[in-house]
């Protein structure tokens, strides 16, 4: 009989209990022991939700992040963190967030946080120093194994594999993480022995980097590492996910492990060869339920193609989701407000576990020839631009010619000052929105309130002396959810939270059908803002690729096609803003890089259609109309060409925290269009000093032509208070003034 198991489960709980417990602890209202106790019962409830599995995973739950847990499991705790506290829990949160519960000290200890492969989950980057020592600290994991057993389950501990762990770590400049491999393997062996002593049979070793491009050195390191671990007691299930193995396939099948897990939805054609290459006793775990989407699986169809493998492998065949279910919401049961026609197509973590059980039953009943597959929607939008209509992707004139036209039309000063779009989302705004949602404020009362906010926002910007104003986004809770609510073919979930990092969760919209725009979305409020000032107000839209990447997307058509549908919708909005007299329009692509596939070849294809989607959204305007885009990062490695092809008139990016490398890279690539490198970090409440800002602007001018440069913060101001925002912007405007005067004299 095929075994069913899971790779990981959402941690946050049905009502985001983990978030609430963590915040209570961080406020100092409960003790560390209480936090651990409460989160333990949350985790035990999660186990009950997976009770139909043959074996449950242990170690996938985490108070903050499982990569940070792995660091602590192996005693990898930065010296600066150790110096601040001896208490392991304090150290843990110091490393995660930089603050202790018992003091208000600053964030100097926080580790760097970055994306877990191509998901929207963020992990804390392990830091390895020269001569790094590793010390096994397995008490907590062992304790969880005990509790799992006591709860009546067979326990399968999960650990991040040694090579994936090292590949995620940051080391001293010029040192390869592989220099730590031998020492690290020593503690892995120790861990495996301890677990075996405890009677654990299987350990799940996650090596998702096997789905990325690996150099010969890393491939060799894999062979070496698993050879070393071969003699440790117990059995290893080597799990790979987030993509295809491609050229790493033979490497994986040759590694001396007792079982391997692959994403079978991506490896259908190779399955016969993979099955043939298995060693006699080796287990094959097939990821057959998609762990990254929210759709019901085609169970009958899956059972039918699985059947021959099941006949052949019998109990050596295991079934699982393709990857951890961390990336989907907990349960569809909470979605009580959606039409049945939509909920009946959805499957979140709990439902995916149920699907596994259903699948197994069907597989055993030998009656799975109904061949029904997931429901399809009729696609109505003209699809994928071909050569014949490609001109639609280009502006009429080149950037240099547009620059002249726009300079005349807009008459902006040099070192033009602007912001990224949002102004503080105050408690008053949040309260009004909640009242409107609950019916306490009617639509016109709420609109009147929002207009009042906009008027104040415009007045403040005028007083500050900014050149290009914004309406301030008071009406938007979230840059993607706002458009998701207005576009047809998209729904917003009630409780569909997914962990982004630590206690932070996001609620991605669900794109379930063709996306269309039935009416203007931002025109009324943007025009209202423009009516209050003679300065240009910049219209503010979220770009098609960002909406796509921050949503759950239907899987019956390609992502490229969905991006194009979104692009048509945003294009119509861009043109409507222009027709209403808005002369500058910003289309944010904050998440452009996030949808990048892990393999170079696929990444190129992605960038190609992603850039086309942006261009489709923005290319319809007249030459006079200025298109801006914004990205919250400046790590343009691998995407400089794509940025250039987007051909936005003005690009604003993060540059306050990161180095200036990107500016010289843009220059080296011949980037001509205008650019606003963020002059100060909006993530910090500190008010930047005017002198420092002026100095910063001078530095920018060393890298780029002065006429290319805009002056702006590095992201939206929604998380700041008005007090902080206006003082910081005041300093920024004065710094721009000063440099303008200096350049006029020179
Ligand atoms: N326009 C958005 C804002 O200012 C952009 C947000 C973002 O870059 N994530 O909030
Ligand atoms: Zn941003």
């Amino acid at each position: 009989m095929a075994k069913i198991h899971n790779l990981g489960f959402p941690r946050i709980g049905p009502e985001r209990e983990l978030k609430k417990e963590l915040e209570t602890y961080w406020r100092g209202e409960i003790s560390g022991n209480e936090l651990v106790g409460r989160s333990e019962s949350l985790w035990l409830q999660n186990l009950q939700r997976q009770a139909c599995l043959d074996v449950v995973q242990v170690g996938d739950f985490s108070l903050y992040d499982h990569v940070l847990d792995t660091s602590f499991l192996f005693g990898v705790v930065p010296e600066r963190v150790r110096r601040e506290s001896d208490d392991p829990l304090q150290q843990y949160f110091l490393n995660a967030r930089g603050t202790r519960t018992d003091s208000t000290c600053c964030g100097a200890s926080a580790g760097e946080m970055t994306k877990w492969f191509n998901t929207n989950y963020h992990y804390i980057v392990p830091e390895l120093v020269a001569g790094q020592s590793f010390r096994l600290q397995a008490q907590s994991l062992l304790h969880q194994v005990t509790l799992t057993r006591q709860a009546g389950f067979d326990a399968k501990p999960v650990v991040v594999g040694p090579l994936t762990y090292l590949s995620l770590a940051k080391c001293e400049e010029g040192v390869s993480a592989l220099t730590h491999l031998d020492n690290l393997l020593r503690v892995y062996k120790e861990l495996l022995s301890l677990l075996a002593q405890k009677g654990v049979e299987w350990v799940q070793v996650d090596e998702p980097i096997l789905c990325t491009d690996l150099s010969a050195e890393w491939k060799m390191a894999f062979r070496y590492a698993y050879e070393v671990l071969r003699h440790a007691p117990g059995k290893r299930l080597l799990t790979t996910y987030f993509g295809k193995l491609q050229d790493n396939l033979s490497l994986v099948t040759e590694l001396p492990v007792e079982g391997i897990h692959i994403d079978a939805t991506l490896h259908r054609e190779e399955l016969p060869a993979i099955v043939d290459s298995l060693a006699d006793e080796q287990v094959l775990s097939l990821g057959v339920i998609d762990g990254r989407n929210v759709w019901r699986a085609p169970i009958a169809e899956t059972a039918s193609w699985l059947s021959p493998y099941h006949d052949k492998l019998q109990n050596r065949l295991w079934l699982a989701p393709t990857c951890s279910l961390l990336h989907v919401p907990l349960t569809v049961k909470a979605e009580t407000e959606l039409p049945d026609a939509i909920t009946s197509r959805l499957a979140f973590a709990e439902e995916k576990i149920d699907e596994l059980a259903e699948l197994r039953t069907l597989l055993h009943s030998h009656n799975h020839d109904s061949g029904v597959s997931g429901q399809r929607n009729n696609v109505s939008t003209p699809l994928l631009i071909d050569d014949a209509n490609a001109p639609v992707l280009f502006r009429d004139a080149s950037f240099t010619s547009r620059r002249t036209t726009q300079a005349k039309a807009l008459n902006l000063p040099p070192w033009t000052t602007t912001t990224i779009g949002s102004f503080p989302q105050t408690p008053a705004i949040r309260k009004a929105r909640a009242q409107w949602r609950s019916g306490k404020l009617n639509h016109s009362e709420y609109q009147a309130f929002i207009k009042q906010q906009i008027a104040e926002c415009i007045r403040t910007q005028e007083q500050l002396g900014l050149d290009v104003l914004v309406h301030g986004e008071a009406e938007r809770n979230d840059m993607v959810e706002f458009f998701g609510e207005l576009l047809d073919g998209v729904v917003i979930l009630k409780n569909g939270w997914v962990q982004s990092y630590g206690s932070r969760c996001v609620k991605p919209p669900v794109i379930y059908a063709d996306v269309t725009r039935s009416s203007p979305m931002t025109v009324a409020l943007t025009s209202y803002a423009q009516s209050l000032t003679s300065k240009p107000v910049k219209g503010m839209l979220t770009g098609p690729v960002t909406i796509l990447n921050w949503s759950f997307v239907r899987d019956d058509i390609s992502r490229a096609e969905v991006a194009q549908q979104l692009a048509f919708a945003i294009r119509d909005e861009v043109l409507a803003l222009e027709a209403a007299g808005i002369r500058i329009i910003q289309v944010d692509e904050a998440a452009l890089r996030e949808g990048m596939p892990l393999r170079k070849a696929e990444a190129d294809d992605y960038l190609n259609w992603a850039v086309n989607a942006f261009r489709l959204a923005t290319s319809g305007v007249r030459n006079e109309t200025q298109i801006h885009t914004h990205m919250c990062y400046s790590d343009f490695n691998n995407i400089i060409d794509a940025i250039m092809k987007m051909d936005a008139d003005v690009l604003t990016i993060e540059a306050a925290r990161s180095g200036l490398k990107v500016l010289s890279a843009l220059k080296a690539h011949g980037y001509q269009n205008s650019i606003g490198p963020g002059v100060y970090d909006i993530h910090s409440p500190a008010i930047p000093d005017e002198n420092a800002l002026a100095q910063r602007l001078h530095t920018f001018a060393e890298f780029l032509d002065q006429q290319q440069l805009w002056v702006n913060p590095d992201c939206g101001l929604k998380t700041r208070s008005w007090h902080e925002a206006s003082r910081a912007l005041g300093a920024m405007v004065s710094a721009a003034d000063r440099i303008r005067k200096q350049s006029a004299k020179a």
Side-chain angles (χ1 to χ4, degrees):
M1 178 130 154
K3 225 181 206 181
I4 54 175
H5 75 121
N6 184 17
L7 271 48
F9 199 74
R11 304 156 185 163
I12 48 179
E15 302 290 336
R16 282 183 291 161
E17 286 83 351
L18 180 59
K19 174 188 173 66
K20 286 163 203 160
E21 303 301 1
L22 282 170
E23 287 168 356
T24 320
Y25 168 71
W26 291 334
R27 285 195 303 267
E29 291 165 24
I30 56 171
S31 70
N33 284 340
E34 275 169 301
L35 173 69
V36 171
R38 290 182 193 189
S39 59
E40 216 161 72
S41 59
L42 186 60
W43 162 65
L44 287 167
Q45 284 169 35
N46 287 347
L47 289 188
Q48 296 302 338
R49 291 171 195 274
Q50 306 171 77
C52 67
L53 298 177
D54 295 307
V55 53
V56 292
Q57 65 293 348
V58 177
D60 60 332
F61 185 85
S62 173
L63 281 177
Y64 199 93
D65 161 41
H66 61 277
V67 179
L68 185 62
D69 292 355
T70 313
S71 292
F72 275 67
L73 175 66
F74 297 135
V76 179
V77 182
E79 186 48 41
R80 60 169 196 288
V81 169
R82 289 182 194 279
R83 252 185 273 124
E84 281 186 61
S85 173
D86 301 327
D87 173 52
L89 197 65
Q90 291 274 10
Q91 289 182 343
Y92 182 80
F93 288 116
L94 272 166
N95 202 162
R97 335 167 39 238
T99 38
R100 307 162 53 121
T101 44
D102 56 0
S103 79
T104 50
C105 91
C106 50
S109 298
E112 195 182 307
M113 186 167 70
T114 192
K115 262 171 199 298
W116 174 244
F117 297 88
N118 58 358
T119 73
N120 196 19
Y121 175 83
H122 301 73
Y123 67 90
I124 304 290
V125 177
E127 296 170 46
L128 302 176
V129 293
Q132 178 73 49
S133 64
F134 297 93
R135 268 188 50 229
L136 191 63
Q137 305 286 341
Q139 305 81 339
S140 159
L141 186 63
L142 294 172
H143 176 60
Q144 288 179 48
V145 170
T146 308
L147 290 180
T148 306
R149 295 247 182 81
Q150 281 168 1
F153 297 100
D154 188 5
K156 175 194 63 177
V158 184
V159 286
V160 178
L163 278 313
T164 293
Y165 181 75
L166 287 180
S167 80
L168 302 178
K170 112 179 148 183
C171 297
E172 271 143 72
E173 191 85 19
V175 178
S176 162
L178 290 177
T179 54
H180 299 286
L181 183 58
D182 274 316
N183 288 337
L184 182 60
L185 288 174
R186 226 164 277 144
V187 278
Y188 267 90
K189 276 204 289 199
E190 230 181 283
L191 174 68
L192 293 172
S193 306
L194 271 183
L195 290 171
Q197 274 166 30
K198 236 181 139 63
V200 164
E201 186 184 11
W202 285 94
V203 175
Q204 172 184 325
V205 184
D206 285 350
E207 292 283 18
I209 57 162
L210 285 164
C211 297
T212 65
D213 298 320
L214 293 178
S215 67
E217 190 192 9
W218 279 81
K219 285 185 185 170
M220 235 162 64
F222 260 105
R223 292 208 174 82
Y224 172 75
Y226 284 85
E227 194 53 45
V228 171
L229 296 181
R230 160 185 233 151
H231 305 292
K235 296 178 180 170
R236 258 74 66 200
L237 177 71
L238 179 79
T239 44
T240 68
Y241 45 82
F242 295 153
K244 283 185 85 166
L245 294 170
Q246 294 180 1
D247 58 319
N248 299 331
L249 203 152
S250 57
L251 168 65
V252 169
T253 52
E254 282 162 22
L255 292 176
V257 288
E258 290 70 18
I260 54 181
H261 169 92
I262 58 169
D263 180 333
T265 66
L266 300 174
H267 284 96
R268 279 278 292 282
E269 310 84 68
E270 290 104 327
L271 271 182
I274 297 176
V275 169
D276 285 342
S277 64
L278 290 177
D280 284 350
E281 308 270 289
Q282 216 174 10
V283 160
L284 180 63
S285 163
L286 294 181
V288 285
I289 305 288
D290 196 325
R292 293 288 292 275
N293 77 19
V294 290
W295 306 110
R296 294 201 71 88
I299 299 287
E301 199 183 294
T302 309
S304 118
W305 66 255
L306 268 177
S307 183
Y309 301 113
H310 182 232
D311 292 343
K312 184 155 185 193
L313 294 169
Q314 293 293 322
N315 58 1
R316 285 164 57 210
L317 175 69
W318 292 16
L319 301 173
T322 52
C323 60
S324 164
L325 298 177
L326 187 61
H327 313 291
V328 294
L330 185 64
T331 174
V332 180
K333 291 185 202 90
E335 300 308 319
T336 47
E337 278 157 30
L338 290 181
D340 285 348
I342 296 178
T343 40
S344 61
R345 291 171 52 202
L346 294 174
F348 300 167
E350 274 191 21
E351 291 77 22
K352 285 178 191 286
I353 298 290
D354 292 344
E355 283 184 329
L356 271 181
E358 260 174 67
L359 179 62
R360 178 174 50 191
T361 311
L362 206 55
L363 200 54
H364 282 271
S365 72
H366 289 283
N367 171 26
H368 34 72
D369 46 15
S370 71
V372 203
S373 67
Q375 249 173 299
R376 304 214 154 226
N377 304 280
N378 292 326
V379 182
S380 55
T381 322
L383 289 174
L384 297 181
I385 305 279
D386 56 25
D387 288 347
N389 52 19
V392 80
L393 298 176
F394 292 86
R395 303 279 301 262
D396 282 344
S398 68
F399 172 72
T400 22
S401 142
R402 295 194 315 260
R403 178 169 55 201
T404 316
T405 316
Q406 289 166 17
K408 269 196 216 118
L410 294 165
N411 196 23
L412 297 167
W415 299 97
T416 321
T417 55
T418 191
T419 58
I420 305 303
S422 60
F423 270 77
Q425 281 276 324
T426 57
I429 296 179
R430 274 194 290 262
K431 184 172 161 211
R433 185 175 304 121
Q435 287 179 328
W436 167 58
R437 291 218 193 270
S438 69
K440 279 198 200 113
L441 279 184
N442 67 31
H443 185 69
S444 58
E445 287 165 330
Y446 178 61
Q447 284 304 98
F449 170 84
I450 291 292
K451 281 183 158 183
Q452 198 188 320
Q453 298 297 311
I454 292 175
E456 264 170 50
C457 185
I458 294 287
R459 201 161 39 235
T460 311
Q461 292 174 82
E462 287 202 313
Q463 278 163 6
L464 286 165
L466 285 154
D467 303 312
V468 171
L469 313 191
V470 294
H471 78 292
E473 302 181 28
E475 80 287 13
R476 304 183 192 177
N477 40 344
D478 173 274
M479 67 190 284
V480 170
E481 185 172 319
F482 175 78
F483 290 96
E485 281 186 319
L486 296 171
L487 289 167
D488 295 333
V490 188
V491 286
I492 304 299
L493 300 171
K494 204 172 102 187
N495 203 31
W497 297 102
V498 177
Q499 191 174 20
S500 172
Y501 64 91
S503 63
R504 278 292 181 95
C505 302
V506 294
K507 194 152 60 80
V510 175
I511 301 177
Y512 69 96
D514 285 343
V515 177
T516 51
R517 162 191 176 274
S518 49
S519 49
M521 303 181 282
T522 64
V523 178
L525 292 181
T526 314
S527 306
Y528 171 69
Q530 184 64 83
S531 74
L532 304 172
T533 174
S534 58
K535 292 198 167 167
V537 170
K538 174 162 72 164
M540 200 55 61
L541 303 174
T542 302
V545 187
T546 296
I547 299 181
L548 179 87
N549 285 340
W550 280 343
S551 298
F552 286 114
V553 183
R554 62 192 276 198
D555 60 351
D556 57 340
I557 62 174
S558 69
R559 292 176 77 81
E561 285 167 298
V562 180
Q564 191 170 314
Q565 293 183 354
L566 285 160
F568 274 114
I570 299 299
R571 181 181 176 94
D572 289 346
E573 186 70 11
V574 167
L575 294 176
L577 283 170
E578 182 183 56
I582 302 303
R583 293 171 291 161
I584 305 183
I585 300 164
Q586 177 169 313
V587 177
D588 287 325
E589 284 294 15
L592 185 98
R593 223 183 36 183
E594 299 187 8
M596 284 253 273
L598 301 173
R599 303 274 190 165
K600 168 101 177 64
E602 289 157 44
D604 288 346
D605 179 51
Y606 162 82
L607 285 174
N608 190 31
W609 60 252
V611 167
N612 280 351
F614 178 83
R615 297 182 68 129
L616 180 59
T618 54
S619 60
V621 295
R622 295 177 304 138
N623 292 327
E624 287 80 354
T625 303
Q626 192 169 67
I627 295 291
H628 289 214
T629 191
H630 165 69
M631 293 171 182
C632 302
Y633 46 84
S634 68
D635 176 7
F636 287 171
N637 282 333
N638 315 325
I639 63 165
I640 290 243
D641 285 338
I643 302 281
M644 312 242 310
K645 285 196 194 122
M646 286 167 75
D647 195 26
D649 295 305
V650 182
L651 162 70
T652 58
I653 57 167
E654 189 277 317
R657 281 165 301 164
S658 61
L660 298 156
K661 262 189 255 152
V662 63
L663 301 188
S664 43
L666 283 169
K667 177 94 177 168
H669 278 72
Y671 192 68
Q672 309 242 310
N673 302 27
S674 298
I675 176 160
V679 283
Y680 76 88
D681 177 10
I682 61 94
H683 302 91
S684 152
I687 308 300
D689 167 62
E690 187 189 317
N691 295 323
L693 289 176
Q695 192 43 52
R696 190 98 188 131
L697 293 175
H698 278 294
T699 318
F700 291 160
E702 285 165 21
F703 288 87
L704 292 159
D705 290 343
Q706 194 180 305
Q707 63 162 356
Q708 277 181 287
L709 285 166
W710 279 57
V711 181
N712 45 263
D714 69 353
C715 198
L717 302 165
K718 68 193 258 188
T719 55
R720 297 270 62 93
S721 70
W722 270 105
H723 180 72
E724 289 158 352
S726 31
R727 285 175 51 204
L729 290 174
M732 183 186 90
V733 170
S734 311
D737 260 345
R738 201 198 291 182
I739 199 165
R740 254 176 227 157
K741 286 188 190 122
Q742 286 165 354
S743 350
K745 267 193 235 143

